[in-house]
Amino acid sequence: MKTLIVYYSLTGKTEKLVRFLMKTVDAEQLKLRQTHDYSLPGAYLFGALRARRGLGAQLRPVDLDISEFDRIILAGPVWAGAPAPALTGFLRSYDLAGREVHGLLVYSANARNASAQFRSDAEQCGAVCVSVTTFKASAHALLQLEKQKSELYLEQDGGIALRRPAGTE
């Protein structure tokens, strides 16, 4: 099964997690870029409001044929308890009918209903939403990944999980 990891990252946390996931998943990756990027204050004010309302962002065109991939892992931040507008924009911009989609939602404070909203948005677009994983990107969790004391991986049933690598205590 051909896998693509699509991600949006404003602060770099999601991008860091995607790099760790790429170590255990055979996949290509694609970074989403919005036509109008948010500043950090703009993301907190306007981006969060768009996320809470379930509004997508306009994305820059990509140089990749999405239809070549059977499985898509869509990763990005949670803003104001909802998936960031770039994720919603991706789901609504591409034909994902019948494709296996997994969500990796990265949050700092509260994921609220982000998983349910992501699943609903993916299924409304015709995708088969196999799993949605929320990951609290605390300094400790990121340090554990950096020190290779834990790793992200795709489980047999499709969920993205955290585990200790083989041979570590």
Side-chain angles (χ1 to χ4, degrees):
M1 182 172 283
K2 197 167 178 186
T3 303
L4 175 65
I5 300 175
V6 178
Y7 70 96
Y8 173 76
S9 184
L10 179 67
T11 64
K13 288 180 184 174
T14 300
E15 189 165 17
K16 199 178 271 192
L17 289 174
V18 167
R19 282 198 311 266
F20 291 122
L21 185 58
M22 290 289 295
K23 292 178 181 181
T24 62
V25 176
D26 181 25
E28 291 185 44
Q29 64 178 308
L30 171 67
K31 183 174 185 175
L32 293 176
R33 299 188 190 282
Q34 299 180 134
T35 56
H36 302 334
D37 287 326
Y38 289 107
S39 63
L40 206 51
Y44 285 114
L45 295 172
F46 306 112
L49 184 60
R50 289 186 66 82
R52 298 265 335 245
R53 291 182 176 169
L55 302 174
Q58 275 196 323
L59 303 172
R60 294 182 187 169
V62 298
D63 294 332
L64 196 61
D65 184 3
I66 304 296
S67 68
E68 294 179 11
F69 298 91
D70 308 302
R71 176 189 296 145
I72 295 174
I73 299 170
L74 184 54
V78 172
W79 291 353
L87 303 181
T88 305
F90 176 82
L91 289 169
R92 293 179 183 161
S93 297
Y94 293 92
D95 180 11
L96 302 176
R99 285 198 178 63
E100 183 179 305
V101 172
H102 303 265
L104 174 58
L105 303 178
V106 182
Y107 70 101
S108 295
N110 189 338
R112 278 193 206 131
N113 297 324
S115 293
Q117 186 174 340
F118 180 93
R119 182 176 297 281
S120 174
D121 288 346
E123 290 173 351
Q124 283 179 13
C125 296
V128 178
C129 188
V130 176
S131 70
V132 183
T133 302
T134 54
F135 183 90
K136 183 164 183 156
S138 66
H140 176 73
L142 293 172
L143 187 60
Q144 293 295 306
L145 287 164
E146 287 171 11
K147 290 184 173 185
Q148 298 178 353
K149 292 186 177 183
S150 61
E151 65 184 4
L152 283 173
Y153 72 102
L154 189 63
E155 295 180 307
Q156 291 282 359
D157 66 357
I160 298 168
L162 190 64
R163 69 176 174 204
R164 288 188 165 291
T168 62
E169 294 183 25

